[in-house]
Amino acid sequence: MKSFDDAKQLCTYQILHKLNKTQMRLYRYTVSHLETVYYMTVREFAAKLAVSPSTVMRFCYTLGFDRYDTFKQAIRHTIQTQNTQTLSADINTLVTFLQQANTPSFTEKMEQAVRLLSSAEQLLFAGGGSSGALARYGARCFSNRGKLAVGLEDTCYPAQIYQLSHTVLITLSVSGETEFLIELASRFQQAGCPLLSITGTACSTLAKMSDWNLSYNIEPDTLYGGYNSATQVPALFILEQLAKQLCSTARKH
């Protein structure tokens, strides 16, 4: 029989293959409601799934646990492991970025970007998904500090008919491979508009085609059919620092 240290074994094919229809229903509810099941007694768990307490116990035995309490210890261990892993991964990602942002090379890149933005009469921001929401925030952030900035809602913006030599397009993308954003950036470049990109990697298509790129070395984290869920904190930090430094530079002059 298993101890709580064997919690990960709940998900093996060998275990799932043993479960009958009723036990599979108990299993699906357990893995979807770990914290709820952890605080349930045998009778409460049985009542919730409309089965008998003995059915719950047979379910525990099939999973390899000799007692219901041991089964709950396994659930607690799983919850703690998931929470610890998620927290550590997020913190490590941010710590690594902040260490990178505190280096002379990154500071120099930021200063170069500020010089580019200082020479522009207006700034245009673009992005897709969560990066699109952040692009609109970036436009507001710069506008609040006295720089004319607009967040583009229309990705089919007719760039060619405008004189954009005194405009800078700022694009945001974690992957740097968003097709419509690359096409948008290309249209603006053809119209003579300098391109500054903020991406998760300097090796992406968007980063390579940009006149200036600020990357923060974070891999895309896609869920639910490809939607990105990677943290936007580094991009947010870069935007706010650019706006702050640009405002500081403007005051000096």
Side-chain angles (χ1 to χ4, degrees):
M1 290 295 176
K2 296 175 183 174
S3 67
F4 70 88
D5 290 323
D6 298 310
K8 292 182 180 179
Q9 296 302 312
L10 292 175
C11 300
T12 64
Y13 170 79
Q14 288 79 4
I15 293 296
L16 296 177
H17 188 66
K18 295 179 182 179
L19 303 181
N20 59 35
K21 185 176 180 180
T22 299
Q23 291 173 338
M24 182 60 73
R25 186 161 61 90
L26 295 175
Y27 174 81
R28 286 199 298 265
Y29 184 84
T30 299
V31 296
S32 300
H33 304 82
L34 287 172
E35 294 190 9
T36 301
V37 175
Y38 175 69
Y39 288 102
M40 286 181 171
T41 64
V42 173
R43 293 186 180 278
E44 289 171 340
F45 187 24
K48 183 67 177 180
L49 278 298
V51 298
S52 66
S54 59
T55 298
V56 173
M57 291 307 304
R58 283 193 295 272
F59 167 65
C60 293
Y61 295 149
T62 302
L63 294 181
F65 298 103
D66 57 351
R67 293 180 296 116
Y68 184 71
D69 286 344
T70 308
F71 168 64
K72 291 213 302 180
Q73 287 177 356
I75 292 176
R76 182 180 64 180
H77 180 70
T78 300
I79 294 171
Q80 291 174 341
T81 300
Q82 289 177 347
N83 290 342
T84 301
Q85 289 177 340
T86 300
L87 183 61
S88 297
D90 289 343
I91 289 177
N92 287 337
T93 296
L94 296 179
V95 167
T96 299
F97 165 71
L98 291 174
Q99 289 173 340
Q100 170 194 345
N102 197 36
T103 60
S105 60
F106 192 85
T107 300
E108 183 179 353
K109 284 187 176 181
M110 291 286 286
E111 291 173 349
Q112 292 174 352
V114 169
R115 286 195 291 270
L116 168 68
L117 300 180
S118 298
S119 64
E121 294 180 359
Q122 67 174 343
L123 308 177
L124 299 177
F125 287 80
S130 56
S131 292
L134 192 58
R136 292 189 290 275
Y137 170 78
R140 183 54 185 263
C141 187
F142 277 81
S143 296
N144 287 347
R145 292 183 176 270
K147 189 71 173 183
L148 178 60
V150 178
L152 296 181
E153 301 282 348
D154 184 3
T155 58
C156 295
Y157 196 87
Q160 289 86 344
I161 66 174
Y162 295 94
Q163 292 296 323
L164 297 172
S165 57
H166 299 293
T167 299
V168 173
L169 175 65
I170 302 173
T171 57
L172 294 98
S173 174
V174 178
S175 69
E177 302 295 343
T178 307
E179 186 174 344
F180 78 82
L181 196 57
I182 292 172
E183 293 176 354
L184 176 71
S186 178
R187 291 199 301 272
F188 272 81
Q189 283 187 318
Q190 292 174 29
C193 180
L195 173 62
L196 168 64
S197 63
I198 300 174
T199 59
T201 172
C203 299
S204 63
T205 301
L206 186 60
K208 290 179 179 179
M209 68 183 288
S210 301
D211 299 290
W212 285 267
N213 171 256
L214 294 168
S215 57
Y216 43 91
N217 299 320
I218 287 182
E219 293 294 329
D221 182 13
T222 55
L223 296 171
Y224 306 116
Y227 293 102
N228 177 48
S229 64
T231 177
Q232 294 284 357
V233 171
L236 178 64
F237 174 86
I238 290 173
L239 282 174
E240 292 186 339
Q241 287 300 305
L242 285 175
K244 181 178 179 180
Q245 291 180 31
L246 181 62
C247 180
S248 177
T249 300
R251 287 176 179 173
K252 291 179 182 179
H253 294 83

